[in-house]
Structure formats: C-alpha cells, structure tokens
Amino acid sequence: MSTHNGTTEPAERIEPASPERLIYFSDAVVAIAITLLALELPVPGAEAHGDSGVQHFMREHLSEYFAFLVSFAVIAMQWMLHQRLFRYVTGLSGGAIRWNLLWLLLIVITPFTTKLLTSEADAFRIQFIVYAAGQALTSLSFRLAFADLRRSGMLRPDAPREVIAETLAWVDAMIVTFAVSIPVALVTHWASLCWALLPLTQKILRRVT
C-alpha cells in the first residue's frame, strides 16, 4: 500500500481462521447424524400383541438393530478421531474446510446408507457397496482435511507425534478395512466380517508407517 510520501506499507496480514467454530459445528452435525440414526430404528406397533409379539418383532429386526450399533460405533469413532487431532490445530486452510465439510456430508448420509443396507431390497451387492464405500470415503475425506492442515503449517509445534501417528493409523485402517470389504462382498454375503479386522489392520499399519 503506497502512502502520500511515496513509501510502501506492508499489506495487513490476514490471520488464519480459528478452528473452534469448525469444531463446534462438526460436533453438532455429528450429534444430529447419530440422532437421525436412532430415529430410523424399527419400533413395534399395534400389530405386535403382548410380550411374545414384541419379542417376535425385535427378532425379525435384529439386522437393523445390529446395523445401528455398527453405524453408531463408526460415527462415534470418526468423532473421537476428529477431536483427537483437531485439538492440535491452530488455524484453518480453505482446503481443510472443504474436506471437513465433505466429511460431515458423508457422516450425515450414514443413516440413509444404514437404512439402505438393511432394507428388504434384493440387491445385497449394491446395498453393501454403497455403505462400505461411504464409510471409506468418510475416513478418506478426514485424512485429506488433516493432511491439508499439516501441509499449511496449521499444527501446534508441540503436537505429539506419537498421538498423531497413532490416530492417523486408525483413520487409514478404516479406509483400508471398508475398502477391502467391497470386493469381498462380490463373492460372499459375509463381507461385513472384514470390519471386525479393524483393530488388527490399525496395528499393522502403525508398524509399517
């Protein structure tokens, strides 16, 4: 900026955006997603007569209840990983904001993909792939958001490397576990068992990185 005497003043430095608003917004969206997930749970109606009728109804819908628990655990884990890493963030980059919004979008549609997974449609492969791909992409978008923050120098200098490495190994394990289950679903309806290998996958990735 030029002054009246011909000298040039440096342009005003723009401070990076505070991460608190994004963190609070993310917390709220995750809470809404979990609430929507619970609202999709089947509840016995007038057709279920007596204790035996309710028990029969609940047995018929065990797959929906199990899918709810899986999706709840996945969303809860996403939130825990998010807060574990974002506590060390000092600012926000435009790329990180966009990737974080995509992460939130994919979390919000988890109730839909969960309902699709357990619907009575006779299309197991499509139902499973949509769900698993959604979860893999959720973790990938979060990974890219944090990578952009790190690349932009938005991490605290005292951020513990071990904690970050351990947390990112969990994020990578979720990407790998859900992605690997997709081709498995092409040959068997038991592909969801791959998800039980998440802790083992995390340990392997932690050792090789």
Side-chain angles (χ1 to χ4, degrees):
M1 178 184 297
S2 297
T3 62
H4 64 279
N5 59 6
T7 60
T8 301
E9 294 181 355
E12 183 178 352
R13 184 176 181 271
I14 300 176
E15 294 293 331
S18 172
E20 280 76 18
R21 290 188 66 184
L22 182 66
I23 294 172
Y24 296 149
F25 176 64
S26 299
D27 288 349
V29 173
V30 169
I32 292 171
I34 288 179
T35 302
L36 292 174
L37 195 65
L39 291 176
E40 293 294 340
L41 287 172
V43 178
E47 73 282 356
H49 300 289
D51 294 344
S52 60
V54 172
Q55 291 173 3
H56 177 71
F57 178 90
M58 296 185 71
R59 282 195 298 269
E60 283 189 331
H61 295 275
L62 278 177
S63 61
E64 286 99 322
Y65 299 138
F66 179 73
F68 163 78
L69 292 175
V70 171
S71 293
F72 180 90
V74 169
I75 294 177
M77 188 170 184
Q78 291 280 355
W79 175 79
M80 287 189 293
L81 296 175
H82 189 276
Q83 60 87 23
R84 194 177 187 189
L85 291 182
F86 270 68
R87 69 179 62 179
Y88 302 113
V89 174
T90 60
L92 295 173
S93 60
I97 293 173
R98 288 188 289 272
W99 286 119
N100 195 90
L101 288 174
L102 177 60
W103 177 72
L104 291 174
L105 170 64
L106 292 165
I107 283 181
V108 165
I109 67 172
T110 297
F112 162 74
T113 58
T114 303
K115 189 173 183 179
L116 176 65
L117 180 65
T118 58
S119 72
E120 295 180 358
D122 187 19
F124 168 77
R125 292 178 181 177
I126 294 177
Q127 293 168 268
F128 187 94
I129 289 172
V130 169
Y131 184 86
Q135 298 304 334
L137 290 173
T138 302
S139 296
L140 178 60
S141 61
F142 175 54
R143 187 70 159 87
L144 292 172
F146 189 76
D148 197 279
L149 290 170
R150 174 181 271 175
R151 186 167 53 251
S152 302
M154 298 293 182
L155 295 185
R156 279 171 28 192
D158 62 339
R161 294 183 179 180
E162 183 64 25
V163 171
I164 291 176
E166 181 81 9
T167 307
L168 290 178
W170 278 109
V171 177
D172 293 339
M174 294 181 75
I175 297 172
V176 171
T177 302
F178 282 103
V180 167
S181 71
I182 293 175
V184 177
L186 300 178
V187 296
T188 177
H189 282 206
W190 295 96
S192 58
L193 293 178
C194 294
W195 305 340
L197 299 177
L198 178 62
L200 176 61
T201 305
Q202 191 271 346
K203 291 183 181 298
I204 294 174
L205 291 176
R206 186 68 187 93
R207 289 189 176 185
V208 299
T209 57

